[in-house]
């Protein structure tokens, strides 16, 4: 989609620190890391928020989650613990309107989140 930074990153029209890529998903380092491990996992197909997902898109969601857990293992945070977060719409703090899962790890997390 035009003017979507995460589409541009996934299409490699904008630079990023690539962590993983396959035909469906793209993962890269967050530009403003909130933890020692902070990676964004995005679908290559554009959806603005998770509210746009249709029934037929949920296999993609499971692929995104599976990718996040694999990366967590690769980065050595799986056993100690990590968090997968997706924000939806303004009150959640969503700032980029292309679905993304934050993978956060490498430090003690707190609850409730801010
Ligand atoms: P959210 O607030 O949930 O929409 O998270 C958006 C995240 O995207 C935020 O943690 C910062 C990150 N981000 C924004 N622009 C860029 C960018 O151009 N490159 C990278 N790598 N990350 C970005």
């Amino acid at each position: 989609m035009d003017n979507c930074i995460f589409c541009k990153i996934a299409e490699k029209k904008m630079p990023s620190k690539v962590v993983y890529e396959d035909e469906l998903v793209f993962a890269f380092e967050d530009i403003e890391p909130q933890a020692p491990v902070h990676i964004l996992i995005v679908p290559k197909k554009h959806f603005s928020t998770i509210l746009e997902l249709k029934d037929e898109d949920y296999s993609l969601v499971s692929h995104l989650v599976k990718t996040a857990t694999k990366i967590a293992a690769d980065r050595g945070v799986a056993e100690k613990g990590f968090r997968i977060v997706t924000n939806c719409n303004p009150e959640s703090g969503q700032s980029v309107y292309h679905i993304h899962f934050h993978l956060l790890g490498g430090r003690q997390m707190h609850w409730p989140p801010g």
Side-chain angles (χ1 to χ4, degrees):
M1 190 195 213
D2 291 347
N3 293 325
C4 170
I5 54 172
F6 286 180
C7 282
K8 286 181 184 155
I9 286 173
E11 291 164 10
K12 297 185 180 151
K13 292 177 180 163
M14 258 181 75
S16 69
K17 291 185 184 164
V18 183
V19 172
Y20 174 82
E21 177 179 16
D22 64 27
E23 68 283 3
L24 296 173
V25 308
F26 196 83
F28 55 100
E29 303 278 352
D30 194 290
I31 205 167
E32 292 171 25
Q34 302 299 315
V37 174
H38 189 171
I39 293 162
L40 301 173
I41 303 103
V42 308
K44 288 188 170 176
K45 183 174 174 186
H46 182 88
F47 301 88
S48 296
T49 79
I50 55 168
L51 296 172
E52 286 182 3
L53 294 164
K54 305 269 188 287
D55 285 351
E56 58 269 26
D57 299 317
Y58 278 90
S59 61
L60 175 60
V61 174
S62 101
H63 187 56
L64 288 161
V65 174
K66 190 173 174 184
T67 301
T69 58
K70 274 187 183 165
I71 296 170
D74 290 347
R75 291 296 174 103
V77 298
E79 294 306 320
K80 277 193 163 180
F82 61 93
R83 191 172 283 177
I84 296 172
V85 175
T86 189
N87 293 318
C88 180
N89 278 339
E91 272 200 14
S92 74
Q94 184 175 5
S95 59
V96 178
Y97 280 75
H98 178 124
I99 292 178
H100 49 283
F101 288 97
H102 297 257
L103 166 64
L104 297 146
R107 66 166 170 82
Q108 180 62 52
M109 300 288 160
H110 303 286
W111 198 262

